[in-house]
Each structure stands twice: as structure tokens, then as C-alpha cells.
Amino acid sequence: MEQIDAVNLVANHVHRWRLRDRSGTLPAGRIVLRVTEDEKQWWRFECCQIEGGMHCFSGSAWSDFVGPRVHARLTLYAQQDGENFHRMKVIMRRN
């Protein structure tokens, strides 16, 4: 899996996460990304390209996702061939 970006989630990430697409795989414009951690739970996050390789995750689904995961380490991976979703890895940390 090719890594797009990683972040240690903090309180201000509840509103948005600005990330650099190191893989160059996120599409331009405003999109909704289908994302899973374990293929049992799914999220749909609003994502838009804001400049060059920079993108931003925001919206109510993103806020609902991040709220209980503040202080976790989040890694977002690019889609794999034949899949219509992105994967992420969340490592919970102690405060």
C-alpha cells in the first residue's frame, strides 16, 4: 500500500486536516472518499484539492470520526488496483 500522508491527530483536526498527497493519487477538485480501516466500518469523507499537491479533509463525517480519535496516529493509504476505496491505519495513543 502506498502511503498518502500521516498525522498525529490533535483537537484542531476535528474541523479539517490539510495534507500533502505524497503519492500523487488523490484526484483534483472536490470529491467524497470512501475509506475503511478494517473493511467492517466505512466512512465517506469530503476531500478537496486546495493547491498543488495539498488536499483538505473536512465535513461532519470527518469531525465525527476525529473527535474520539484525538491523539491517535492516522495514516492514509492510496487506493489499490481494483478497489474503489482508500485504507487507513489508526493507532490510538494515550493522552
Side-chain angles (χ1 to χ4, degrees):
M1 289 185 286
E2 187 172 2
Q3 181 177 317
I4 291 177
D5 202 1
V7 66
N8 291 320
L9 294 172
V10 294
N12 67 336
H13 287 125
V14 170
H15 302 291
R16 81 178 131 270
W17 174 31
R18 291 179 146 194
L19 63 135
R20 178 159 309 278
D21 180 7
R22 290 178 173 83
S23 70
T25 60
L26 289 176
R30 183 172 294 278
I31 58 169
V32 174
L33 283 182
R34 187 171 179 228
V35 180
T36 185
E37 180 180 4
D38 56 11
E39 296 187 33
K40 294 178 185 168
Q41 189 168 8
W42 298 87
W43 297 274
R44 291 173 129 358
F45 298 139
E46 296 173 29
C47 178
C48 65
Q49 185 176 22
I50 51 178
E51 58 186 53
M54 294 295 293
H55 287 74
C56 182
F57 277 31
S58 62
S60 59
W62 176 251
S63 296
D64 292 346
F65 172 80
V66 173
R69 293 169 179 84
V70 169
H71 304 296
R73 176 76 176 168
L74 172 77
T75 306
L76 179 67
Y77 297 96
Q79 282 180 307
Q80 296 186 49
D81 288 340
E83 294 180 336
N84 65 347
F85 58 90
H86 289 72
R87 294 180 188 274
M88 72 175 107
K89 181 177 182 181
V90 178
I91 300 172
M92 297 302 289
R93 296 179 178 203
R94 292 185 170 233
N95 297 354

